[in-house]
Amino acid sequence: MSHADHDLEKVLGPLEAEVMRGVWGSDGPVSVRDLVEHLNRQRSQPLAYTTVMTVMSRLAAKGVLSRRREGRGYLYEATVDDAAAIAVRNVMRDFGGAAMAHFVDEARADPKALRRLSRLLDEDR
């Protein structure tokens, strides 16, 4: 297991991580059915459609995936690029302003991090 895979499973768990790797590996939005077919090609024990649908719905509720109605189902896309972005979303969801204040305090203590934070903030203006 690569370092990135290990980090992803730390913040999501094995099945959610497998789903996210499948979504990231797709070319654009993906349906549950398409993802189930893709994931099951690589597995000895196939996943049920309803299992993947539930995982994707939960990831959408966490803000890690976005979804839009397409016919009778949904198409899903990743809203984040890596495990670090998922971890930050989780911290912000769970601790909100207190987490942000802590990040800023940490950046103030590290000139390099403060310059990076300033650059990131300037990009959004």
Side-chain angles (χ1 to χ4, degrees):
M1 180 180 300
S2 76
H3 181 69
D5 284 343
H6 181 67
D7 288 346
L8 186 58
E9 290 193 10
K10 276 186 191 175
V11 295
L12 288 179
L15 188 52
E16 287 180 327
E18 185 176 356
V19 166
M20 286 306 298
R21 284 190 295 272
V23 171
W24 283 327
S26 68
D27 293 327
V30 63
S31 69
V32 174
R33 184 160 318 284
D34 289 341
L35 190 61
V36 168
E37 289 173 8
H38 170 76
L39 294 175
N40 283 340
R41 275 187 241 130
Q42 304 165 17
R43 295 171 79 29
S44 57
Q45 291 285 8
L47 293 168
Y49 176 92
T50 53
T51 299
V52 176
M53 180 181 66
T54 299
V55 170
M56 292 177 84
S57 292
R58 288 182 180 160
L59 289 168
K62 292 178 181 181
V64 176
L65 294 178
S66 65
R67 69 181 184 180
R68 65 177 160 83
R69 176 76 67 188
E70 180 79 17
R72 292 176 37 203
Y74 291 96
L75 289 179
Y76 291 83
E77 284 186 281
T79 60
V80 295
D81 296 329
D82 57 24
I86 295 168
V88 169
R89 277 187 186 247
N90 290 347
V91 168
M92 293 306 295
R93 181 191 66 227
D94 295 344
F95 302 103
M100 189 168 314
H102 183 71
F103 287 141
V104 171
D105 287 343
E106 289 295 316
R108 284 187 182 128
D110 178 352
K112 186 177 176 182
L114 185 57
R115 284 191 301 276
R116 173 132 168 77
L117 180 60
S118 293
R119 275 195 313 274
L120 289 170
L121 289 169
D122 287 342
E123 287 175 8
D124 290 336
R125 289 184 189 162

